[in-house]
Amino acid sequence: MSEKKETIEIANDDKLYRKIRAEYIKNDEVSSQAFYQRDEDLSVSIANLSNLEEQFPNPDFGLAEIEAGFVRNLELEVCHDPTPEDPGHAIVCGRINKTKARKIARAAMLIRKPG
Amino acid sequence: MNITDFIMLEPQRKSGVAPQLERGVPSEEEFEGFYWFVPARSERGVTSTGASYTNIQPLIAGERQLWVSQDFTPAQYAARASVHDYNKLIIIDEVMPEHNVAYKYQIFLKEAFPVHAKGEDDWVIATWADISISSFLSHYNDSVLKIGNIRKLPNNWDSYNAVRISHEAGIRAIQVLFETFQFISMTSQEQIIPFVAPCPDGGIQLEWEKNRKELEIMIPPSSDLKMNILRVLGDDFKEDTIEYNSDVAQYLRWLMED
């Protein structure tokens, strides 16, 4: 019998983290490609369920933060999808086209730069 | 500058006999892997808005000599000595006594790269060199380097299962950069250097900003696929797809317009 995951409702003002490689960063802004997935859901992590040092220890990656409500306003869904490695893991579902990826990148805040 | 306007240099001996210059268009096979030599007059200036520019005017070939204006200056060109080697050459001019507008060219090997030798006393000098390559690299060297670097990223480089950047995307991105360089050169405006980003699907994205405008060109991992375009002006977003590298010009025109 498969184990049912315990999930939470993500509020609109919940913050979501996305890992960002240095190659995506230009002048403290993030390329839209950091938030673009052609045919797949976008993986993020719910900030208040994440421990930065434990879940994101790799200094090669920076961290961008975006509000769940902003993503939902783009007609995308945000669902909690915990994994053993990341209890705060969530996915952004729906077709993220270039326009939506660019809007998300514009709104995202870089809270940690790659080391 | 019309890149199809070629001057072909024939291989010469070390004795330094001036090369015979002929006009011609190479075949597909000859063109593959070579740069093309187009001797040109460079004209540099400053626009009314203070931007510096370089216009490169191709010279006109007549018979086996080149007829140029008297203010032609020698220059340094990037060139290929053979399929295998790369050398920089200095091209100088000698004035012919009979015709004050005709010049012969003598070519000297200036850098200590090994050359591909055809025989004991023979050496292959630049058969073809593209003058615009040097100018292109002087503006876009960092972009070309970044393309090379992101091509080295391993699978899962973004920790979200991204794939390696494809060779085809790398080549096409450089071709688009070159189209951009040529297009902007003809407008006499300053080059706008794009940001280069890796794409999780193995493609490459080029991103430009000018005033309130943003332009993104997403080059797919396979050359069979079309490129995706995004134009942004303030809060107005428009998406398109294009098939050919030359189609990029219309979007660059939009970006450069005031």
Side-chain angles (χ1 to χ4, degrees), chain B residues 177-233:
Chain B
L177 287 179
F178 197 67
E179 287 278 344
T180 303
F181 162 73
Q182 288 194 288
F183 175 81
I184 298 179
S185 295
M186 289 194 299
T187 67
S188 300
Q189 292 194 48
E190 215 165 300
Q191 295 287 335
I192 307 175
I193 311 304
F195 179 77
V196 177
C199 299
D201 66 355
I204 292 176
Q205 178 156 289
L206 304 176
E207 304 172 12
W208 290 262
E209 282 182 40
K210 186 171 190 273
N211 299 328
R212 291 181 64 228
K213 291 180 182 174
E214 297 170 29
L215 173 65
E216 293 182 359
I217 296 179
M218 198 166 97
I219 295 161
S222 167
S223 55
D224 295 337
L225 301 172
K226 294 183 180 182
M227 293 186 275
N228 290 93
I229 310 285
L230 177 67
R231 283 180 291 171
V232 185
L233 175 56

Side-chain angles (χ1 to χ4, degrees), chain A residues 18-19 21 23-26 29 31-33 36-38 43 61 97-99 102-103 106, chain B residues 146 153 157-160 195 197-201 205 207 214 216 218 232 234-235 237 239:
Chain A
R18 174 87 172 159
K19 281 177 277 184
R21 274 201 72 103
E23 287 83 357
Y24 280 145
I25 297 173
K26 47 175 179 172
E29 291 181 354
S31 165
S32 62
Q33 282 297 316
Y36 183 80
Q37 288 281 17
R38 198 184 282 274
S43 270
F61 291 93
N97 58 14
K98 285 188 65 57
T99 298
R102 186 72 193 98
K103 287 182 176 178
R106 258 190 187 176
Chain B
K146 185 160 181 191
L153 292 170
W157 49 265
D158 68 345
S159 81
Y160 297 116
F195 179 77
C199 299
D201 66 355
Q205 178 156 289
E207 304 172 12
E214 297 170 29
E216 293 182 359
M218 198 166 97
V232 185
D235 292 326
F237 295 75
E239 295 191 37

Side-chain angles (χ1 to χ4, degrees), chain A residues 20-54:
Chain A
I20 305 290
R21 274 201 72 103
E23 287 83 357
Y24 280 145
I25 297 173
K26 47 175 179 172
N27 305 325
D28 289 344
E29 291 181 354
V30 182
S31 165
S32 62
Q33 282 297 316
F35 302 99
Y36 183 80
Q37 288 281 17
R38 198 184 282 274
D39 296 312
E40 293 176 23
D41 298 327
L42 193 77
S43 270
V44 291
S45 294
I46 304 165
N48 60 24
L49 292 182
S50 298
N51 181 301
L52 284 183
E53 284 74 36
E54 278 179 27

Side-chain angles (χ1 to χ4, degrees), chain B residues 23-38:
Chain B
R23 183 96 176 262
V25 177
S27 67
E28 289 260 358
E29 287 151 315
E30 286 170 321
F31 184 74
E32 184 64 36
F34 285 85
Y35 295 118
W36 292 94
F37 176 64
V38 183

